[in-house]
Amino acid sequence: MIFLITNRKLACDVGFYEVIQQAIDAGIYAIILREKDLPYDLLLPIALKIKGIIGDSGVKLIINNNIEVAKAACADGYHTNFTRFVNENLSFSGDRGVSVHSLEEAIEAEKHGANYILLGHIFKTDCKKGVPPRGLDIIKIIREHVNIPIISIGGIRPSNAHLVMEAGSDGIAVMSSIMKANKPYDLVREYILSCQK
C-alpha cells in the first residue's frame, strides 16, 4: 500500500493536481490531504476536486487533521496526531489513522479504535532535520504488539522500501519525493515494485 501525503508547495514542476492524477494512475492506495495551513473554506474545495480526480479508481481520500472537511467531503478517512486522537472523542464513520512514534503510542492508538497507524520517521529525512531516525527495528517491535496496519514514513525511497516491508510494515507513506517528482507516475511504479520484492 502506497499512501501519498500531499504538500501543494512542493509540486512546482508538474503541478499539484497532475501529480495526484499520475499517482492515482500508477496505483497508489490512498491520498492523505495534508495542507495544514488551509482553513475549512479553502481546504474543502481542494478535497472535493481530488475526490473528483479519484473518481471510481478505488483510491481512498483521507483528510489530515480537519474533521469538518473530512465529513463535508464524505472522505474515506480521517488522520490526526496521537494526542488529539486519544484525548478527543472524535466521531467519524470512515477509517481513522493516527501518527505514532513509539510502541506505547501504537498500542494505545489501536486500543482507541485506530484503523491504521502512520509510523515514523524510519530513515533520515530533510523533513525532520536534526531528529534521529527510528530505524527498522521499531517496525519489527510494533508488529509484534499490534494487529492493525502499520504504514511507515520518513526517508523511504524505492531503493529501501522493500526493507521497510520486510521489517513488518503493511505499506509506506511518501510526501516529498513524489510531490517533487518530474515523472510521478514512474516514481510511484518504482515504489510499488520495491514494496513487492
Side-chain angles (χ1 to χ4, degrees):
M1 291 187 286
I2 313 291
F3 285 57
L4 170 61
I5 300 179
T6 73
N7 184 335
R8 71 192 189 286
K9 295 175 182 177
L10 297 179
C12 300
D13 296 332
V14 176
F16 181 66
Y17 294 111
E18 180 61 23
V19 169
I20 289 169
Q21 180 69 70
Q22 288 193 34
I24 291 168
D25 292 344
I28 58 165
Y29 175 78
I31 296 165
I32 298 180
L33 180 58
R34 184 182 181 271
E35 305 296 327
K36 295 200 294 184
D37 60 319
L38 296 181
Y40 175 91
D41 59 332
L42 295 179
L43 188 62
L44 181 57
I46 295 174
L48 294 174
K49 181 159 184 176
I50 292 173
K51 197 171 181 185
I53 295 170
I54 289 171
D56 59 1
S57 66
V59 173
K60 291 191 174 191
L61 174 61
I62 300 168
I63 307 299
N64 182 78
N65 242 17
N66 195 317
I67 193 76
E68 293 81 11
V69 169
K71 290 177 178 178
C74 298
D76 302 292
Y78 168 71
H79 188 93
T80 191
N81 62 57
F82 175 77
T83 303
R84 186 172 186 193
F85 183 74
V86 297
N87 290 331
E88 297 181 19
N89 190 20
L90 299 169
S91 62
F92 183 71
S93 59
D95 290 342
R96 296 187 301 161
V98 186
S99 294
V100 302
H101 303 93
S102 68
L103 172 60
E104 293 74 21
E105 288 182 355
I107 292 171
E108 281 300 305
E110 184 174 36
K111 282 182 183 175
H112 281 78
N115 297 100
Y116 70 87
I117 54 173
L118 190 66
L119 173 65
H121 60 291
I122 304 304
F123 300 116
K124 187 177 178 182
T125 172
D126 289 340
C127 296
K128 302 282 185 181
K129 282 184 178 178
V131 181
R134 288 174 172 80
L136 295 168
D137 285 345
I138 189 71
I139 304 172
K140 298 173 184 176
I141 293 166
I142 290 176
R143 178 75 290 158
E144 293 175 359
H145 293 86
V146 302
N147 295 310
I148 56 176
I150 299 169
I151 309 301
S152 297
I153 188 171
I156 300 173
R157 310 254 179 250
S159 59
N160 61 24
H162 67 284
L163 299 174
V164 173
M165 301 301 288
E166 288 165 9
S169 186
D170 298 281
I172 63 170
V174 182
M175 181 175 70
S176 301
S177 61
I178 294 177
M179 294 306 299
K180 289 179 178 178
N182 291 319
K183 296 180 178 179
Y185 178 93
D186 293 345
L187 182 59
V188 171
R189 292 306 305 167
E190 286 181 42
Y191 272 113
I192 290 173
L193 290 173
S194 178
C195 287
Q196 293 172 346
K197 281 184 181 177

